[in-house]
Amino acid sequence: METGALQRALRREWVNQHREARDEIIRKYARLYPSGKTMLCQRSMKEEALGVTRLVGKIIFDTEEAALACAEELRGLYDGEGPKYTYECHRSKRGHVHLTSMKQRRRS
Ligand SMILES: [Zn+2]
């Protein structure tokens, strides 16, 4: 196997092994359904009608603090890698927070 492919295979293996730990961290901080399942961002009815696909399925956090605490724990798990920034999403009525790897300008 060439080096790149081997590294990718090892990486995948490692990610699989850490999936459970990752899910546990996320469940601790994210907004959950009563069933305990992690809540993911969905399109609004208007977006649905427009065929918007952008940023669907992102994990929902109630507060910036929760999102940042989650990101910090994930970075501990992933050796410093992972999302570092948060941004507010206004898809739900009271709004919520997502994590992102890219720094975004705050819109006011
Ligand atoms: Zn959202």
Side-chain angles (χ1 to χ4, degrees), residues 1-36:
M1 221 184 309
E2 52 124 340
T3 320
L6 178 63
Q7 271 173 352
R8 278 196 298 279
L10 285 172
R11 174 88 194 156
R12 256 201 312 276
E13 173 78 20
W14 186 86
V15 166
N16 280 334
Q17 283 170 2
H18 286 70
R19 185 158 290 151
E20 225 167 280
R22 173 186 177 274
D23 288 350
E24 204 170 297
I25 291 171
I26 288 169
R27 273 199 301 274
K28 203 155 56 166
Y29 295 105
R31 191 184 289 177
L32 302 176
Y33 289 105
S35 67

Short mmCIF file of all heavy atoms in Angstrom, two decimals, residues 1-36:
data_model
loop_
_atom_site.label_atom_id
_atom_site.label_comp_id
_atom_site.label_asym_id
_atom_site.label_seq_id
_atom_site.Cartn_x
_atom_site.Cartn_y
_atom_site.Cartn_z
N MET A 1 0.85 -1.20 0.00
CA MET A 1 0.00 0.00 0.00
C MET A 1 0.88 1.25 0.00
O MET A 1 1.87 1.30 0.72
CB MET A 1 -0.89 -0.01 1.25
CG MET A 1 -2.31 0.46 0.95
SD MET A 1 -3.38 0.59 2.39
CE MET A 1 -3.21 -0.99 3.20
N GLU A 2 0.53 2.22 -0.79
CA GLU A 2 1.33 3.47 -0.75
C GLU A 2 1.04 4.22 0.56
O GLU A 2 -0.01 4.04 1.17
CB GLU A 2 1.05 4.34 -1.98
CG GLU A 2 -0.41 4.60 -2.22
CD GLU A 2 -0.81 6.05 -2.30
OE1 GLU A 2 -0.05 6.91 -1.82
OE2 GLU A 2 -1.89 6.29 -2.82
N THR A 3 1.97 5.04 0.93
CA THR A 3 1.94 5.68 2.26
C THR A 3 0.64 6.44 2.52
O THR A 3 0.05 6.31 3.57
CB THR A 3 3.14 6.64 2.42
OG1 THR A 3 4.27 6.02 1.83
CG2 THR A 3 3.39 6.94 3.87
N GLY A 4 0.20 7.23 1.56
CA GLY A 4 -1.01 8.03 1.74
C GLY A 4 -2.22 7.17 2.02
O GLY A 4 -2.99 7.46 2.95
N ALA A 5 -2.35 6.10 1.26
CA ALA A 5 -3.50 5.20 1.43
C ALA A 5 -3.44 4.50 2.78
O ALA A 5 -4.45 4.34 3.46
CB ALA A 5 -3.52 4.17 0.31
N LEU A 6 -2.24 4.11 3.18
CA LEU A 6 -2.07 3.45 4.47
C LEU A 6 -2.44 4.41 5.60
O LEU A 6 -3.15 4.05 6.54
CB LEU A 6 -0.62 2.98 4.64
CG LEU A 6 -0.29 2.31 5.97
CD1 LEU A 6 -1.10 1.03 6.14
CD2 LEU A 6 1.19 1.98 6.05
N GLN A 7 -1.97 5.64 5.48
CA GLN A 7 -2.30 6.63 6.51
C GLN A 7 -3.80 6.87 6.61
O GLN A 7 -4.35 6.99 7.69
CB GLN A 7 -1.58 7.95 6.20
CG GLN A 7 -0.20 7.99 6.84
CD GLN A 7 0.60 9.19 6.40
OE1 GLN A 7 0.19 9.93 5.52
NE2 GLN A 7 1.73 9.38 7.03
N ARG A 8 -4.43 6.94 5.45
CA ARG A 8 -5.89 7.15 5.45
C ARG A 8 -6.61 5.97 6.08
O ARG A 8 -7.56 6.15 6.83
CB ARG A 8 -6.38 7.38 4.01
CG ARG A 8 -6.19 8.82 3.53
CD ARG A 8 -7.03 9.13 2.30
NE ARG A 8 -6.66 8.31 1.17
CZ ARG A 8 -5.61 8.56 0.36
NH1 ARG A 8 -4.84 9.61 0.58
NH2 ARG A 8 -5.34 7.77 -0.66
N ALA A 9 -6.13 4.77 5.78
CA ALA A 9 -6.75 3.56 6.35
C ALA A 9 -6.58 3.54 7.87
O ALA A 9 -7.51 3.22 8.60
CB ALA A 9 -6.14 2.31 5.72
N LEU A 10 -5.39 3.88 8.32
CA LEU A 10 -5.13 3.92 9.77
C LEU A 10 -6.00 4.98 10.43
O LEU A 10 -6.53 4.78 11.52
CB LEU A 10 -3.65 4.23 10.03
CG LEU A 10 -2.67 3.07 9.79
CD1 LEU A 10 -1.24 3.55 9.90
CD2 LEU A 10 -2.93 1.94 10.78
N ARG A 11 -6.14 6.09 9.77
CA ARG A 11 -6.92 7.20 10.27
C ARG A 11 -8.40 6.78 10.42
O ARG A 11 -9.04 7.07 11.42
CB ARG A 11 -6.77 8.38 9.29
CG ARG A 11 -7.63 9.57 9.57
CD ARG A 11 -6.93 10.52 10.51
NE ARG A 11 -7.90 11.48 11.03
CZ ARG A 11 -7.75 12.13 12.16
NH1 ARG A 11 -6.68 11.95 12.88
NH2 ARG A 11 -8.64 12.98 12.57
N ARG A 12 -8.89 6.10 9.38
CA ARG A 12 -10.28 5.63 9.42
C ARG A 12 -10.51 4.68 10.59
O ARG A 12 -11.49 4.77 11.30
CB ARG A 12 -10.63 4.92 8.11
CG ARG A 12 -11.48 5.74 7.16
CD ARG A 12 -12.21 4.89 6.14
NE ARG A 12 -11.35 3.93 5.49
CZ ARG A 12 -10.57 4.18 4.43
NH1 ARG A 12 -10.55 5.39 3.92
NH2 ARG A 12 -9.82 3.24 3.89
N GLU A 13 -9.58 3.77 10.75
CA GLU A 13 -9.62 2.79 11.83
C GLU A 13 -9.68 3.52 13.18
O GLU A 13 -10.48 3.21 14.05
CB GLU A 13 -8.35 1.94 11.72
CG GLU A 13 -8.12 0.97 12.85
CD GLU A 13 -8.99 -0.26 12.73
OE1 GLU A 13 -9.46 -0.53 11.61
OE2 GLU A 13 -9.20 -0.92 13.77
N TRP A 14 -8.83 4.51 13.30
CA TRP A 14 -8.73 5.27 14.53
C TRP A 14 -10.02 6.04 14.79
O TRP A 14 -10.53 6.08 15.91
CB TRP A 14 -7.53 6.23 14.38
CG TRP A 14 -7.20 6.98 15.61
CD1 TRP A 14 -6.40 6.57 16.62
CD2 TRP A 14 -7.67 8.28 15.96
NE1 TRP A 14 -6.33 7.53 17.58
CE2 TRP A 14 -7.09 8.59 17.20
CE3 TRP A 14 -8.50 9.21 15.34
CZ2 TRP A 14 -7.33 9.79 17.84
CZ3 TRP A 14 -8.74 10.41 15.99
CH2 TRP A 14 -8.16 10.68 17.22
N VAL A 15 -10.57 6.63 13.75
CA VAL A 15 -11.82 7.38 13.88
C VAL A 15 -12.95 6.44 14.32
O VAL A 15 -13.74 6.77 15.20
CB VAL A 15 -12.19 8.10 12.55
CG1 VAL A 15 -13.63 8.58 12.56
CG2 VAL A 15 -11.25 9.26 12.31
N ASN A 16 -12.99 5.25 13.73
CA ASN A 16 -14.01 4.27 14.13
C ASN A 16 -13.88 3.90 15.60
O ASN A 16 -14.87 3.80 16.30
CB ASN A 16 -13.89 3.00 13.28
CG ASN A 16 -14.53 3.18 11.92
OD1 ASN A 16 -15.43 4.00 11.76
ND2 ASN A 16 -14.06 2.43 10.95
N GLN A 17 -12.66 3.71 16.03
CA GLN A 17 -12.43 3.34 17.43
C GLN A 17 -12.85 4.45 18.38
O GLN A 17 -13.21 4.19 19.52
CB GLN A 17 -10.94 3.03 17.65
CG GLN A 17 -10.55 1.67 17.14
CD GLN A 17 -9.04 1.48 17.15
OE1 GLN A 17 -8.31 2.37 17.57
NE2 GLN A 17 -8.60 0.34 16.68
N HIS A 18 -12.76 5.68 17.91
CA HIS A 18 -13.08 6.81 18.79
C HIS A 18 -14.51 7.29 18.66
O HIS A 18 -14.92 8.22 19.32
CB HIS A 18 -12.13 7.98 18.51
CG HIS A 18 -10.76 7.75 19.04
ND1 HIS A 18 -9.91 6.82 18.49
CD2 HIS A 18 -10.09 8.32 20.05
CE1 HIS A 18 -8.77 6.84 19.16
NE2 HIS A 18 -8.85 7.73 20.11
N ARG A 19 -15.27 6.67 17.76
CA ARG A 19 -16.62 7.15 17.48
C ARG A 19 -17.49 7.16 18.74
O ARG A 19 -18.22 8.11 18.99
CB ARG A 19 -17.26 6.29 16.39
CG ARG A 19 -18.63 6.81 15.97
CD ARG A 19 -19.00 6.32 14.61
NE ARG A 19 -18.17 6.94 13.59
CZ ARG A 19 -17.87 6.36 12.42
NH1 ARG A 19 -18.29 5.16 12.17
NH2 ARG A 19 -17.15 7.00 11.53
N GLU A 20 -17.39 6.07 19.51
CA GLU A 20 -18.22 5.97 20.70
C GLU A 20 -17.90 7.08 21.71
O GLU A 20 -18.80 7.71 22.25
CB GLU A 20 -17.99 4.62 21.36
CG GLU A 20 -19.28 3.95 21.79
CD GLU A 20 -19.03 2.51 22.14
OE1 GLU A 20 -18.94 1.67 21.20
OE2 GLU A 20 -18.90 2.22 23.33
N ALA A 21 -16.62 7.31 21.91
CA ALA A 21 -16.19 8.36 22.84
C ALA A 21 -16.66 9.72 22.34
O ALA A 21 -17.12 10.57 23.11
CB ALA A 21 -14.67 8.34 22.98
N ARG A 22 -16.56 9.90 21.03
CA ARG A 22 -16.98 11.16 20.42
C ARG A 22 -18.48 11.38 20.63
O ARG A 22 -18.91 12.46 21.04
CB ARG A 22 -16.65 11.11 18.92
CG ARG A 22 -17.18 12.27 18.12
CD ARG A 22 -16.92 12.02 16.64
NE ARG A 22 -17.48 13.08 15.83
CZ ARG A 22 -18.75 13.10 15.40
NH1 ARG A 22 -19.56 12.11 15.71
NH2 ARG A 22 -19.19 14.11 14.69
N ASP A 23 -19.27 10.33 20.36
CA ASP A 23 -20.72 10.44 20.52
C ASP A 23 -21.09 10.75 21.97
O ASP A 23 -22.03 11.50 22.23
CB ASP A 23 -21.41 9.14 20.08
CG ASP A 23 -21.37 8.96 18.57
OD1 ASP A 23 -20.99 9.94 17.89
OD2 ASP A 23 -21.70 7.87 18.08
N GLU A 24 -20.36 10.15 22.88
CA GLU A 24 -20.64 10.38 24.29
C GLU A 24 -20.40 11.85 24.67
O GLU A 24 -21.19 12.45 25.38
CB GLU A 24 -19.74 9.47 25.13
CG GLU A 24 -20.29 9.19 26.50
CD GLU A 24 -19.49 8.10 27.17
OE1 GLU A 24 -19.50 6.96 26.66
OE2 GLU A 24 -18.85 8.40 28.18
N ILE A 25 -19.31 12.40 24.16
CA ILE A 25 -18.99 13.81 24.43
C ILE A 25 -20.08 14.70 23.84
O ILE A 25 -20.60 15.61 24.51
CB ILE A 25 -17.62 14.18 23.82
CG1 ILE A 25 -16.50 13.47 24.59
CG2 ILE A 25 -17.42 15.70 23.86
CD1 ILE A 25 -15.13 13.60 23.94
N ILE A 26 -20.46 14.41 22.61
CA ILE A 26 -21.47 15.24 21.95
C ILE A 26 -22.80 15.19 22.70
O ILE A 26 -23.44 16.22 22.92
CB ILE A 26 -21.63 14.82 20.47
CG1 ILE A 26 -20.39 15.26 19.69
CG2 ILE A 26 -22.90 15.43 19.85
CD1 ILE A 26 -20.29 14.71 18.31
N ARG A 27 -23.19 13.99 23.13
CA ARG A 27 -24.47 13.86 23.85
C ARG A 27 -24.48 14.64 25.16
O ARG A 27 -25.51 15.05 25.65
CB ARG A 27 -24.79 12.39 24.11
CG ARG A 27 -25.54 11.75 22.94
CD ARG A 27 -26.24 10.48 23.39
NE ARG A 27 -25.29 9.51 23.92
CZ ARG A 27 -24.62 8.63 23.18
NH1 ARG A 27 -24.80 8.61 21.89
NH2 ARG A 27 -23.78 7.80 23.71
N LYS A 28 -23.31 14.84 25.71
CA LYS A 28 -23.20 15.56 26.97
C LYS A 28 -23.53 17.05 26.79
O LYS A 28 -24.04 17.69 27.68
CB LYS A 28 -21.77 15.40 27.51
CG LYS A 28 -21.63 15.59 28.98
CD LYS A 28 -20.42 14.88 29.56
CE LYS A 28 -19.11 15.30 28.90
NZ LYS A 28 -17.93 14.87 29.65
N TYR A 29 -23.23 17.59 25.62
CA TYR A 29 -23.35 19.04 25.42
C TYR A 29 -24.44 19.46 24.44
O TYR A 29 -24.94 20.58 24.51
CB TYR A 29 -22.02 19.61 24.93
CG TYR A 29 -20.92 19.48 25.94
CD1 TYR A 29 -19.92 18.54 25.79
CD2 TYR A 29 -20.88 20.33 27.05
CE1 TYR A 29 -18.90 18.41 26.72
CE2 TYR A 29 -19.87 20.22 27.99
CZ TYR A 29 -18.89 19.26 27.82
OH TYR A 29 -17.89 19.15 28.75
N ALA A 30 -24.77 18.59 23.51
CA ALA A 30 -25.69 18.98 22.45
C ALA A 30 -27.14 18.99 22.93
O ALA A 30 -27.46 18.43 23.98
CB ALA A 30 -25.54 18.04 21.26
N ARG A 31 -28.00 19.60 22.15
CA ARG A 31 -29.43 19.55 22.42
C ARG A 31 -29.94 18.17 22.00
O ARG A 31 -29.63 17.70 20.92
CB ARG A 31 -30.15 20.64 21.63
CG ARG A 31 -31.60 20.83 22.05
CD ARG A 31 -32.30 21.83 21.18
NE ARG A 31 -31.84 23.20 21.42
CZ ARG A 31 -32.27 24.25 20.72
NH1 ARG A 31 -33.15 24.09 19.76
NH2 ARG A 31 -31.82 25.46 20.97
N LEU A 32 -30.70 17.55 22.91
CA LEU A 32 -31.15 16.18 22.65
C LEU A 32 -32.66 16.09 22.53
O LEU A 32 -33.38 16.88 23.13
CB LEU A 32 -30.69 15.25 23.79
CG LEU A 32 -29.20 15.17 24.08
CD1 LEU A 32 -28.97 14.29 25.30
CD2 LEU A 32 -28.42 14.64 22.89
N TYR A 33 -33.08 15.11 21.77
CA TYR A 33 -34.50 14.76 21.76
C TYR A 33 -34.80 14.02 23.06
O TYR A 33 -33.88 13.48 23.69
CB TYR A 33 -34.81 13.82 20.59
CG TYR A 33 -34.77 14.50 19.25
CD1 TYR A 33 -33.70 14.30 18.40
CD2 TYR A 33 -35.81 15.34 18.84
CE1 TYR A 33 -33.64 14.92 17.15
CE2 TYR A 33 -35.76 15.96 17.61
CZ TYR A 33 -34.68 15.74 16.77
OH TYR A 33 -34.63 16.36 15.55
N PRO A 34 -36.09 13.96 23.48
CA PRO A 34 -36.42 13.22 24.70
C PRO A 34 -35.90 11.77 24.66
O PRO A 34 -35.61 11.17 25.69
CB PRO A 34 -37.95 13.25 24.73
CG PRO A 34 -38.31 14.49 23.97
CD PRO A 34 -37.26 14.62 22.90
N SER A 35 -35.75 11.22 23.46
CA SER A 35 -35.24 9.85 23.32
C SER A 35 -33.75 9.76 23.61
O SER A 35 -33.20 8.66 23.71
CB SER A 35 -35.50 9.36 21.90
OG SER A 35 -34.70 10.11 20.98
N GLY A 36 -33.08 10.92 23.71
CA GLY A 36 -31.65 10.93 23.96
C GLY A 36 -30.82 11.03 22.70
O GLY A 36 -29.60 11.08 22.73
#
